[in-house]
Amino acid sequence: MSTINKNSRREFLKLTGLTGGGLMLGFSWFSAQAETPVVVNEAGIAAGNVGFNSYLSIATDGTITIFSPNPELGQNIMTSFPMIVAEELEADWTKVKVLQAPLDTKSFDRQVTGGSGAVPHSWKLLRNAGATAKNMLMHAAAARWSVPVEECTALNGFVVHSKTGNKLGYGELAEDASKLPVPKDVKLKDRKDFKLIGKEVKNVANKDIVTGKGLFGLDFHREGMLYAMLQRPPAFGTKIKSVDDAVAKAMPGIVNVVTFKNNVAVVGKSTWEVMKARKLVKIEYEKDGNIESTADHDKLFKSLLDTGTVTVRRKDGDVDAAFKNAAKIIKSEYQCPFLSHSPMEPMNFFADVRADGVELVGPTQTPGAARQATSKLLGIPEDKITLNITRLGGGFGRRLKTDYATEAAELSSLIKAPVKVIWTREDDMTGGSYRPAVRYRFEAALDASGNLVGYKLRGVGINSGNPTREDNFPSGAVDNLLIDNVEHVSPITTGAWRAPITNFLAFAEQAFFDEVAHAAGKDPIQFRLDLLQKAKEKPVGAVKYDIDRMMGVTKLVAEKAGWGTKKGASQGFSVYFSHRSYVAQIGEVVMKAGKPVVKKIYAAADCGEVVNLSGARQQVMGGIVDGMGHAMFSKLSFKDGAAVQKNFDTYRLIRMKEIPEVEVHFVNNGIEPTGLGEPALPPTGGAIANAIFAATGKRVKNQPFMEEDVFKNPTVTPNIKTNTKLPKSSFQKTKKA
């Protein structure tokens, strides 16, 4: 336990208007179990020695405020967090507001945006904070009226005495409540009584966003700060040989040109002046390690699958015997390219390195890591470094890295001035961190009855570590299974990209399962359901996914999409488990001018309790659009170590007219939230690819799909009978009966 941070407490009191008194509750984010909130009086003194991680306040005017520690990058966390508190508090939602907390590792736990984990981590803690405040307000009202607290109820920001009809607002009770002892145990609401959770609530930042209020890192300005842009090596595997900066230094508004590490920074008084001057710096580069091209990777991957050093990730049964005795063997390979993260807001960060400390401000998914990296780089203790988090204009994993923050810190320390480093779109696309290119080889062994008796998966990737998910489905459902991988180390920087690994693996796996189902003469959905049932009744080894939840979304999406019964459209199915949640999708494809066109995508998601229905629906729809766009259109390639695509004129993203109708359904099972920011993306590629096959009889096995034969050489007479040749799923028969 530790005492409340004085600076953060003082700042919070100032921002929330509580300097004159009121009720402020601190609650812990460290434990899976909610800790008892603690009252803080008008002087900011905590009544008890408890580690504070966030604060819930009720001002005398009834305004309810909480600090939100997690960075907001569009996942709606700054709306969902206060909704959870307000639900238990029985608050008037119009009087609820939330503030972005600064980095404070002593007071907050998991100040990170990534892995779809914010709401699952904080669910109980937020509920307990709201319920505790409500309990204290009800006791304060009961004491004032001299009535039993059992006769009082809380409703929409008021405490009401049922027998007399007396009513007091939370603001009127805040002072009295702050003087009461904090209850150790409070009762949480039954979900059937939820009034706010599960409803559609507008994003709390909508007005500020649409009116252009400064929220993002690029909006941040400090009087007297300088601007900088860095020229980084144009090709991976090269280093600076010489620099001629004389012309650039003489340009108007330029303060300095600094060479450090493998970068040349142009520093000036405005971004425009800096951008113009940077083009005039003459830099000569030389080779520094491997210089690779995408064409080399294509050949390399195929070779490594046969000859590379293999790491076994999981092995069940006798795989060799299963394949030796198989009646039929299906073998396929799937490959994906590098991808840029392409957040709409390019990388940027502000740093002011002074003798008495360091101030950092900017958009980061990992503020703690950014401060730690700065501390290590400059040799300055972390407690001398402050970091304030702005809203992020997208991240998708790119802002998990700290390179752009440490660039700003190092440059500020060199020029002895506050500076804001800004990347251009070209900087972001040519010198960033990419989704690694990967190739997978799948093999399936079927017996004479079409049962899957053997399964093999080998992945080879660039700097990807383990490009498989060896404990995901179908592990546990196949008697003989082998999953392994080969690694290739490259100077091209790679990193987490939305739904890491599974963003492509899910497409490859689900497209291959479709191949196997058709080879077995079985309905693709029923084929998966049968395997899931086998894993449930006779599991092979560890089963680390929830079989019932996966079956649930599968059946739900099949019902909503009318699987196998639609006329005039071909359907493809996909289902995947990632980040603790389950999403199944059915894509519908129609033929236009001989080419397949995605008409509609149905999705069924099991993410546990849905906090904000509109926000959740947007997350699923956004994930599907993101997954579809990158599967069909996007590709980043390299020639002699340099990125070929440098901006959106050559790096293809999905266009508005190409976005299909998306219909989203949620499983209402009442379990605690399990995450949603990433799980909707992985199944999309497979659903579309399988629908394309159903429409054309042709498999797409490489991304982007637009470079595959089915789009380059369209057929005027599509094959739309693929699905109808197969037996229907058992639940379809039941439904028809």
Side-chain angles (χ1 to χ4, degrees), residues 429-430 635-638 642-647 650-652:
M429 200 163 287
T430 61
K635 177 182 180 179
L636 196 141
S637 53
F638 293 87
V644 175
Q645 296 80 17
K646 295 177 170 56
N647 209 319
T650 52
Y651 185 79
R652 178 78 153 85

Side-chain angles (χ1 to χ4, degrees), residues 416-464:
K416 311 297 182 186
V419 64
K420 184 175 181 179
V421 171
I422 298 176
W423 294 42
T424 63
R425 174 61 57 197
E426 287 81 3
D427 293 336
D428 189 67
M429 200 163 287
T430 61
S433 176
Y434 310 102
R435 194 273 301 271
V438 179
R439 189 176 183 88
Y440 293 107
R441 175 182 292 165
F442 295 90
E443 297 178 67
L446 298 176
D447 65 14
S449 299
N451 299 312
L452 182 62
V453 294
Y455 179 85
K456 290 194 286 188
L457 163 61
R458 176 169 295 175
V460 55
I462 290 181
N463 305 335
S464 57

